[in-house]
Amino acid sequence: MPPLRTLLAMPVALALLALTPAASSAPTAPATDALLPLLVTAGGAPAAALMAREEPGTHYARAGRGISRADHFRAGSITKTFIATVVLQLAAEHRLALSDTVEQHLPGLVHGAGNDGRALTLRSLLTHTSGLNDFSAETKGLTPLSPLQAVRIALTHPPAEPGRFAYSNTNYVLLGMVIEQVTGHSYATEAERRIIAPLDLTGTSFPGARTSLPSPHGRAYAADGTDVTELDPRVAGAAGELVTTLADLDRFYAALLGGRLLPSRLLHEMRDTRAAHGLYGMGLFPQKLPCGITVWGHNGRITGSYVRTAATVDGRRVLTFRVNTTAVTDPGLEPALLAAEFCPRTP
């Protein structure tokens, strides 16, 4: 019997075989279209959809029932790219510096159990190298919290090794609080003013405490099949509150990586992964594909929704795919889908 890894790879391998172009005058279907159904049959999702953006247009595909092109859905940690962009815009305006300490902006907040806001910079929050405990490890993403409550939960635990990359939602909750301290407005208001309105992201919003999704939308399901379409976004706050659409995410990442939202110096800094030892920049992370191409973006997981956006470094080509459940059970499908989109096809 083949080892488990081989069994997991077999559906992907079979689909890739199906991608070999046949001798025909008919247009060749995008390589991603053969893989997308596997997110349902092998990945355990009720339904899946993708939208690819490249000059001169877009391509949409779906698999399974109850999912559509215009659906609004929860984007989870993709929210972090929006938050990081706002922070970097404030840095460009000299309203804060990435070398500022957390203590300078939120005095007295981060202390206890070995945590010390005087030793933590905004850069360390952006790159997940602060060592702060992830509050959601305790709440499991099920308990609505205020930002202060989330931070206080994290501060009951000692920090991880200083300077080591350790992904923590607490970092971005704190950054949301810093945005409010610097601007006098909520992170949602600033993101709407600086990103959502200028880019005309009409399907994107920060819902606050609103548990329903805007129309149109499908249903969202937990791993056990429970319908979790109604969800209080305060389970994630600035680390994962965003509601959006496929088209809006493609447009946002194309604009960001294309240089429309940040000066080139700060966009370069956003993609600098040295602090996190190559694993993470600031609200973005790279993924090197088997063909050698590196794509940039983020994923988002929240109860009932998993989303992944990836783009070329210049933002000229973007892919977003989503499933209407919390996770894709076959870990090989995501990299295969990205490779199908971004790697050159052999004749």
Side-chain angles (χ1 to χ4, degrees):
M1 181 176 181
L4 178 59
R5 181 176 297 176
T6 302
L7 288 175
L8 289 173
M10 286 175 66
V12 176
L14 290 172
L16 289 174
L17 287 173
L19 299 181
T20 304
S24 170
S25 59
T28 304
T32 51
D33 287 16
L35 285 170
L36 187 68
L38 295 180
L39 294 174
V40 177
T41 58
L50 65 80
M51 185 173 288
R53 175 190 177 107
E54 57 183 283
E55 297 177 355
T58 61
H59 169 71
Y60 169 77
R62 67 179 179 89
R65 296 182 177 180
I67 202 165
S68 70
R69 183 183 188 125
D71 277 351
H72 296 81
F73 53 85
R74 305 189 193 282
S77 286
I78 282 179
T79 308
K80 292 180 175 68
T81 314
F82 284 73
I83 296 298
T85 301
V86 172
V87 171
L88 289 166
Q89 287 178 341
L90 292 171
E93 296 163 9
H94 305 290
R95 299 175 71 178
L96 55 77
L98 302 186
S99 58
D100 289 350
T101 66
V102 176
E103 180 71 13
Q104 285 176 254
H105 293 283
L106 304 171
L109 177 60
V110 177
H111 65 88
N115 298 285
D116 186 353
R118 297 171 299 179
L120 302 179
T121 64
L122 301 187
R123 184 187 305 278
S124 73
L125 300 182
L126 286 161
T127 59
H128 293 294
T129 55
S130 69
L132 291 170
N133 178 264
D134 185 352
F135 74 89
S136 66
E138 189 165 320
T139 65
K140 309 300 182 186
L142 300 174
T143 306
L145 301 168
S146 70
L148 187 57
Q149 288 172 324
V151 172
R152 283 177 173 167
I153 288 172
L155 295 177
T156 62
H157 301 273
E161 179 185 342
R164 182 173 64 85
F165 174 76
Y167 191 90
S168 173
N169 288 299
T170 307
N171 291 319
Y172 277 74
V173 169
L174 282 167
L175 288 168
M177 297 172 78
V178 169
I179 291 170
E180 183 166 1
Q181 185 274 331
V182 170
T183 67
H185 304 120
S186 70
Y187 61 82
T189 297
E190 287 297 313
E192 288 161 1
R193 182 175 72 85
R194 294 167 173 272
I195 301 171
I196 295 173
L199 296 181
D200 196 27
L201 305 181
T202 56
T204 300
S205 63
F206 287 82
R210 188 178 70 240
T211 60
S212 60
L213 287 168
S215 294
H217 67 81
R219 311 305 298 176
Y221 301 95
D224 63 1
T226 304
D227 190 312
V228 290
T229 308
E230 299 284 317
L231 181 73
D232 192 323
R234 291 174 298 174
V235 300
E241 177 189 337
L242 197 74
V243 167
T244 188
T245 65
L246 292 171
D248 276 9
L249 286 183
D250 280 1
R251 189 179 303 123
F252 166 63
Y253 280 94
L256 174 62
L257 291 164
R260 291 178 57 191
L261 295 174
L262 292 172
S264 58
R265 173 181 63 85
L266 286 169
L267 180 57
H268 176 78
E269 187 132 25
M270 193 180 202
R271 298 194 308 263
D272 187 342
T273 64
R274 288 175 296 177
H277 311 292
L279 298 174
Y280 200 89
M282 298 179 181
L284 289 174
F285 63 82
Q287 182 167 345
K288 189 173 183 178
L289 302 177
C291 58
I293 291 173
T294 296
V295 291
W296 290 84
H298 214 288
N299 60 354
R301 179 180 286 108
I302 193 168
T303 303
S305 180
Y306 180 77
V307 190
R308 175 71 161 103
T309 300
T312 53
V313 69
D314 57 8
R316 292 185 178 179
R317 191 168 185 175
V318 189
L319 171 72
T320 299
F321 76 85
R322 60 172 288 242
V323 295
N324 59 349
T325 189
T326 309
V328 177
T329 56
D330 184 337
L333 291 174
E334 181 173 317
L337 195 61
L338 297 183
E341 174 63 28
F342 294 100
C343 289
R345 295 179 66 179
T346 56

